[in-house]
């Protein structure tokens, strides 16, 4: 509904005075300080993984946020042993119904449709709910003629939903094809991690593709590749910087600059005045 | 019961003598002209593609191929395409649209290749772009899953108006070994995975994931190739005719709605 729910959860779960140790440089900081710095390590610049509501709070104008289809949840389509229990546990732990939040809001007063995957829930994996919400967001942006932002954070397909999970790749890609055909503007933002079927569908289909520094981005997982080729992987493999070097992302944008960059891009893609088209006719 | 059965499907689908895209092209098509290369950096032999005639009508045919002996299997990378394969397929499909040829794809792949170079050259992007393009192509598309259809590596060639499986083929989010490895960190539990995954033609047809099944001869397609060719020929001729008669906007709308509806979430 709003940021408060998430905020309360966060405070109850963590406590602002507790220390956080940076997984990259081992520096220690109060969680409060880390939160004030958008969860970027003040010492080494490591970008912590953040939840969907934290992300929205950083990106959107204050009080501009309205969540859509909040309660969409999984049917457990394969009747997979233990999956319902696992879903319930994750719901309790995260306060989310699945690994995705869809919202409308504004960035510097420009209205946008935003989808954020949340890696705290089943590593952001894409099952039917994630695929469905993304597709609805694309269709909504298409109907309302709004720009679309998707923040990916996902290990890939949700195994427990099997083939239904796989088919979300076709569904989301088809919706984006239509949106693109209608000149819809889509910015895909890849955050840590963006893998598997998410990389091989909507995340790679942005008009603009941005990534956060150091984010792991790829199709096949490192373990699978190592087992297949029988050698270890080069340093920096599948990191945002590697992807940029190989031509697959437009820019790496550190989190503190992301909101400004998005606003800049949105302004550069404001629809042309109808009058301009009219004057060319007849 | 089911366990043994679903596992047998895997064995049949993966058999070295399983009929391949090259067999089907030879038996069902004439005037095949193979087209190589993605026009960007290389040729990927894991995906075969070209122009041919089906019942006299020019069509574009594309298929993954594994090879029928060890030498071929190594040459074709065991049917695991690199990004160039998907990009070649996209090039051929765009060309088919330009010249108004229907497209027929044959799928038999363990999945897209998990390798360093494949990642460096954008395996995920290549598959995503194929699905995006296929969803809007203004010609009829038919996909036949002839053996294994695993993961995005299969789906990247399968966003079609009519997706049909041979009755002993399988179609799934990942190989059962990969599935077990990710879920239970134990690839040896693949038999158990098979049972849970709903990867057989019957299961997938019931779930609305595929549009049809072609019954294989007893013992599988490879046991009686002539009969398999005749059955497939008949089915392809029927559906190509039906799809070709549809106004293109209806075809695109139905293609969209078909994939749009797969997977149901509770409000």
């Amino acid at each position: 509904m709003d940021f408060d729910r998430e905020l309360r959860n966060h405070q109850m779960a963590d406590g602002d005075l507790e220390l956080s140790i940076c997984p990259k440089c081992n520096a220690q900081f109060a969680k409060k300080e880390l939160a004030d710095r958008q969860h970027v390590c003040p010492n080494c610049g490591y970008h912590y993984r953040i939840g969907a509501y934290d992300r929205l709070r950083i990106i959107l104008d204050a009080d501009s946020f309205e969540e859509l289809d909040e309660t969409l949840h999984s049917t457990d389509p394969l009747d997979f042993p233990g999956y319902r229990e696992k879903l319930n546990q994750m719901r309790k732990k995260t306060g989310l119904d699945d690994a995705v939040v869809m919202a409308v809001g504004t960035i510097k007063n420009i209205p946008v449709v935003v989808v954020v995957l949340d890696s705290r829930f089943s590593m952001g994996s894409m099952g039917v709910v994630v695929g469905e919400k993304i597709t609805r967001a694309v269709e909504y942006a298409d109907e309302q003629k709004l720009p679309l932002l998707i923040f990916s954070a996902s290990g890939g397909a949700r195994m427990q939903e099997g083939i239904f999970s796989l088919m979300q790749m076709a569904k989301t890609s088809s919706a984006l094809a239509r949106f693109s055909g209608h000149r819809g503007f889509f910015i895909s933002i890849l955050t840590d991690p963006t893998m598997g079927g998410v990389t091989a569908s909507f995340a790679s289909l942005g008009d603009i593709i941005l990534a956060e520094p150091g984010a792991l981005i790829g199709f096949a997982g490192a373990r699978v590749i190592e087992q297949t080729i029988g050698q270890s992987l080069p340093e920096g493999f599948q990191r945002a910087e590697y992807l940029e070097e190989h031509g697959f992302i437009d820019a790496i944008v550190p989190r503190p600059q992301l909101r400004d960059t998005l606003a800049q891009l949105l302004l550069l893609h404001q629809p042309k005045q109808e009058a301009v088209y009219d004057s060319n006719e007849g | 019961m089911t366990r043994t059965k679903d596992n047998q499907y895997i064995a049949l689908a993966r058999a070295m003598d399983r009929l391949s895209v090259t067999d089907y092209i030879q038996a069902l098509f004439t005037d095949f002209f193979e087209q190589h290369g993605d026009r960007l950096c290389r040729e990927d032999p894991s995906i075969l593609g070209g122009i041919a005639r089906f019942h006299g009508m020019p069509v574009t045919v594309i298929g993954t191929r594994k090879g029928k002996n060890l030498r071929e299997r190594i040459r074709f990378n065991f049917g695991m395409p690199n990004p160039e394969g998907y990009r070649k397929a996209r090039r051929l499909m765009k060309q088919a649209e330009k010249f108004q040829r229907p497209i027929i794809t044959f799928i038999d792949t363990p999945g897209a290749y998990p390798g360093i170079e494949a990642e460096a050259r954008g395996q995920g992007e290549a598959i995503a772009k194929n699905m995006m393009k296929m969803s809007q192509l203004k010609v009829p598309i038919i996909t036949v899953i002839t053996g294994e259809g695993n993961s995005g590596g299969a789906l990247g060639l399968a966003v079609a108006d009519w997706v049909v499986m041979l009755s002993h083929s399988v179609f799934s989010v990942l190989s059962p070994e990969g599935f077990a490895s990710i879920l239970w960190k134990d690839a040896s539990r693949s038999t158990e995975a098979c049972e849970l995954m709903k990867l057989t033609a019957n299961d997938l047809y019931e779930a609305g994931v595929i549009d049809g099944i072609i019954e294989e001869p007893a013992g599988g397609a490879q046991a009686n190739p002539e009969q398999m060719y005749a059955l497939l020929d008949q089915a392809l001729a029927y559906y190509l005719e039906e799809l070709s008669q549809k106004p293109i906007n209806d075809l695109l709308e139905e293609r969209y709605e078909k994939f749009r509806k797969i997977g149901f979430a509770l409000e």
Side-chain angles (χ1 to χ4, degrees):
Chain A
M1 208 93 70
D2 57 19
F3 294 124
D4 292 336
R5 181 178 74 163
E6 166 62 13
L7 206 70
R8 276 196 305 276
N9 285 344
H10 193 77
Q11 284 166 347
M12 280 190 296
D14 299 326
D16 285 344
L17 295 174
E18 279 178 49
L19 287 178
S20 169
I21 300 169
C22 174
K24 198 172 168 197
C25 72
N26 292 322
Q28 293 188 14
F29 303 95
K31 283 198 170 166
K32 173 78 169 66
E33 186 188 356
L34 205 58
D36 290 346
R37 291 173 180 267
Q38 305 185 344
H39 302 272
V40 176
C41 172
N43 186 47
C44 73
Y46 171 76
H47 284 52
Y48 282 73
R49 292 175 180 177
I50 57 174
Y53 294 104
D54 275 336
R55 173 67 68 183
L56 289 166
R57 191 163 33 230
I58 289 171
I59 293 301
L60 294 177
D61 297 336
D63 304 321
S64 76
F65 167 81
E66 185 193 340
E67 184 167 354
L68 303 174
D69 294 322
E70 188 182 351
T71 61
L72 213 60
H73 58 285
S74 173
T75 61
D76 184 13
L78 294 186
D79 204 8
F80 199 87
Y83 182 43
R84 276 165 214 244
E85 293 73 17
K86 195 178 173 211
L87 284 172
N88 283 333
Q89 282 167 14
M90 289 186 296
R91 282 180 191 131
K92 273 190 199 133
K93 200 181 109 199
T94 63
L96 298 163
D97 275 316
D98 206 295
V100 58
V101 173
M102 165 187 176
V104 287
T106 59
I107 298 177
K108 300 194 182 178
N109 295 319
I110 306 162
V112 288
V113 177
V114 193
V115 186
V116 189
L117 303 196
D118 195 318
S119 64
R120 295 171 307 163
F121 194 106
S122 186
M123 197 37 81
S125 60
M126 174 160 66
V128 173
V129 172
V130 170
E132 179 67 22
K133 267 200 195 179
I134 282 169
T135 306
R136 287 187 191 189
V138 177
E139 290 175 341
Y140 185 77
D142 200 10
E143 281 161 26
Q144 303 292 321
K145 302 283 168 220
L146 291 173
L148 171 70
L149 315 182
I150 302 179
F151 290 85
S152 293
S154 176
R158 176 91 45 97
M159 287 300 131
Q160 294 93 338
E161 297 191 15
I163 191 78
F164 299 99
S165 166
L166 181 74
M167 299 312 284
Q168 303 310 307
M169 294 168 64
K171 184 162 109 179
T172 54
S173 301
S174 301
L176 283 167
R178 279 196 165 182
F179 183 54
S180 185
H182 298 155
R183 299 180 196 278
F185 178 46
F186 166 35
I187 307 178
S188 173
I189 305 99
L190 314 180
T191 75
D192 190 49
T194 298
M195 296 298 294
V198 167
T199 299
S201 63
F202 61 85
S204 290
L205 297 175
D207 297 296
I208 303 283
I209 302 182
L210 306 177
E212 287 197 329
L216 185 73
I217 303 161
F219 176 66
R223 195 161 51 99
V224 177
I225 298 174
E226 280 178 340
Q227 281 170 1
T228 307
I229 65 175
Q231 60 186 82
S232 55
L233 300 170
E235 175 113 10
F237 181 65
Q238 290 183 328
R239 295 289 166 185
E241 295 72 16
Y242 180 90
L243 273 278
E244 186 184 56
E245 192 184 314
H246 286 86
F248 289 98
I249 50 184
D250 288 285
I252 296 172
V253 185
R255 196 171 291 164
Q257 276 113 65
L258 198 49
R259 185 175 138 87
D260 285 347
T261 302
L262 291 172
Q264 181 193 358
L265 289 168
L266 290 167
L267 282 172
L268 286 168
H269 290 80
Q270 291 270 300
K272 292 200 176 71
Q273 299 287 322
E274 288 296 329
V276 177
Y277 289 124
D278 291 346
S279 69
N280 287 336
E281 278 176 14
Chain B
M1 277 292 277
T2 332
R3 173 182 298 206
T4 345
K5 206 170 112 202
D6 288 5
N7 213 25
Q8 280 170 349
Y9 278 93
I10 299 277
L12 267 175
R14 286 180 181 168
M16 189 75 101
D17 62 349
R18 188 80 180 161
L19 298 181
S20 73
V21 61
T22 43
D23 297 314
Y24 291 115
I25 287 175
Q26 208 165 23
L28 274 63
F29 299 82
T30 59
D31 297 319
F32 180 62
F33 173 75
E34 183 177 355
Q35 295 174 273
H36 297 96
D38 66 353
R39 296 290 191 274
L40 295 164
C41 76
R42 71 181 69 189
E43 155 68 3
D44 180 0
S46 307
I47 293 182
L48 171 71
I51 314 162
R53 285 183 192 275
F54 180 76
H55 290 224
M57 176 178 31
V59 294
T60 286
V61 189
I62 297 165
T64 57
R65 59 177 164 183
K66 288 179 175 168
K68 295 221 167 182
N69 52 52
L70 193 58
R71 247 180 68 194
E72 276 188 8
R73 291 218 154 177
I74 290 166
R75 184 168 156 236
F76 300 145
N77 202 27
F78 297 82
M80 294 182 285
N82 274 280
E84 298 74 44
Y86 295 103
R87 292 185 183 125
K88 172 172 72 177
R90 188 157 81 250
R91 177 173 82 81
L92 268 46
M93 290 191 283
K94 281 155 92 170
Q95 209 173 73
E97 183 183 48
K98 175 179 174 185
F99 295 107
Q100 295 296 292
R101 290 190 289 264
I103 298 164
I104 302 169
T105 69
F106 291 89
I107 311 286
D108 183 14
T109 176
Y113 186 59
I116 293 178
E117 296 285 292
E119 294 293 315
R121 296 194 297 264
Q123 189 73 284
E125 190 264 0
I127 291 168
K129 284 275 168 64
N130 269 27
M131 292 187 298
M132 189 186 206
K133 187 71 209 172
M134 287 183 88
S135 73
Q136 291 286 306
L137 275 179
K138 295 188 176 75
V139 288
I141 311 172
I142 289 179
T143 290
V144 187
I145 298 172
T146 63
E148 277 181 289
N150 288 347
S151 90
L155 192 59
L157 297 173
V159 182
D161 300 299
W162 191 59
V163 179
V164 64
M165 288 174 72
L166 304 191
S167 56
H168 293 110
S169 63
V170 294
F171 183 27
S172 60
V173 64
L174 199 59
S175 70
E177 292 83 0
F179 185 92
S181 171
I182 286 185
L183 264 185
W184 305 312
K185 310 269 175 260
D186 182 1
S188 69
R189 286 170 70 184
S190 63
T191 308
E192 193 181 336
C194 272
E195 193 183 2
L196 298 167
M197 287 173 79
K198 294 200 170 64
L199 41 65
T200 66
N202 280 331
D203 282 341
L204 294 166
Y205 184 72
E206 265 176 41
V209 173
I210 59 164
D211 306 303
I213 303 173
I214 299 176
E215 275 305 320
E216 293 180 37
Q222 54 268 50
N224 190 343
E226 293 309 318
Q227 197 186 338
M228 189 70 250
Y229 298 144
L231 288 165
L232 184 57
D233 184 71
Q234 205 180 4
L236 285 179
Y238 179 85
Y239 283 98
L240 260 187
E241 173 71 19
E242 189 181 278
L243 295 172
S244 299
Q245 281 174 0
K246 280 187 187 164
I248 194 66
N249 287 338
D250 293 0
L251 194 73
L252 290 180
E253 186 63 30
E254 286 169 29
R255 192 185 301 159
Y256 186 82
E257 284 304 321
K258 187 172 73 124
F259 288 98
R260 179 71 187 84
K261 279 187 204 139
I262 298 176
F264 173 75
L266 296 166
E267 299 294 331

